[in-house]
Amino acid sequence: MGYLGDSLLTALELIISIDQDVQSAVWTSLYTSSCAIVIAALLGVPAGLWLGLNRFRGRQIAIALLNTLMALPTVVVGLLLFGLLSRQGPLGPLGLLFTPMAMIAGQTVLATPIVANLVLAAVTGSDKRIIDTALTLGANRFQAATQLLREIRFGVMAAVIAGFGRVIAEVGVAMMLGGNIRNSTRTMTTAIALETSKGEFAFGLALGILLLSVALIVNLFLNLLQQR
């Protein structure tokens, strides 16, 4: 069948047999990415909502900064957090470097601007009468903002999905802050990079298939929610 065909068969065998290394990498990826996107949503959704509803001096600067952070290179995030978490850094005594917690912190930094910016876009594109109508009917500012959030829920879900896609597919932060430690901090992306460089193309292909499958499942879940 050729090199690619044989590698694909081997990759499928690894997936079907639930290889321990594959299972560990998948679990680490899902765990760290899920934790990071939950934290990013808790930070980014209110931030985007607040920016979209309020007008203040320096708002355009804040939006420009948010747009810049969306394209923040993962290696830069990894470098800054590495400096904070290393033994010589201010947070060194916590011993977080090369742990899943460090990876979650880095992924949260990457995902939060994406979630906030897309929520801001959803708020900006929403019907401005929603807030006014809610306030006229006796709602306070918080209740009116909550009602708006319900109206733009699909945009919010899309923002969260985009943030999740960003963190589960990144390599730089996971490699620099996690250390790619087997059965501890090795994710699908770092394992793909490592095993492919070692010549284990089939192993990397197996993880690549699983990574694409996760992305497909998440998007199918979003479409299902939208249909409902």
Side-chain angles (χ1 to χ4, degrees), residues 13-138:
E13 290 175 1
L14 288 171
I15 295 172
I16 294 172
S17 64
I18 314 180
D19 181 83
Q20 184 178 357
D21 288 337
V22 172
Q23 183 180 1
S24 175
V26 172
W27 164 250
T28 302
S29 289
L30 292 176
Y31 171 71
T32 56
S33 300
S34 298
C35 290
I37 198 58
V38 168
I39 300 172
L42 292 175
L43 297 174
V45 172
L49 189 62
W50 184 79
L51 271 176
L53 293 178
N54 293 281
R55 298 295 182 271
F56 55 91
R57 182 176 297 178
R59 180 175 179 270
Q60 293 304 319
I61 296 176
I63 293 175
L65 179 61
L66 197 59
N67 288 330
T68 302
L69 291 177
M70 281 188 67
L72 196 62
T74 60
V75 290
V76 172
V77 175
L79 182 64
L80 293 175
L81 289 180
F82 186 93
L84 290 174
L85 300 176
S86 64
R87 288 186 178 181
Q88 293 78 20
L91 302 180
L94 297 178
L96 295 178
L97 191 61
F98 302 138
T99 66
M101 291 302 297
M103 296 164 61
I104 291 171
Q107 291 173 348
T108 299
V109 173
L110 289 174
T112 301
I114 296 174
V115 175
N117 215 329
L118 293 179
V119 170
L120 170 61
V123 172
T124 303
S126 64
D127 191 340
K128 303 299 184 295
R129 293 173 295 180
I130 296 173
I131 294 291
D132 295 335
T133 302
L135 292 174
T136 301
L137 294 175

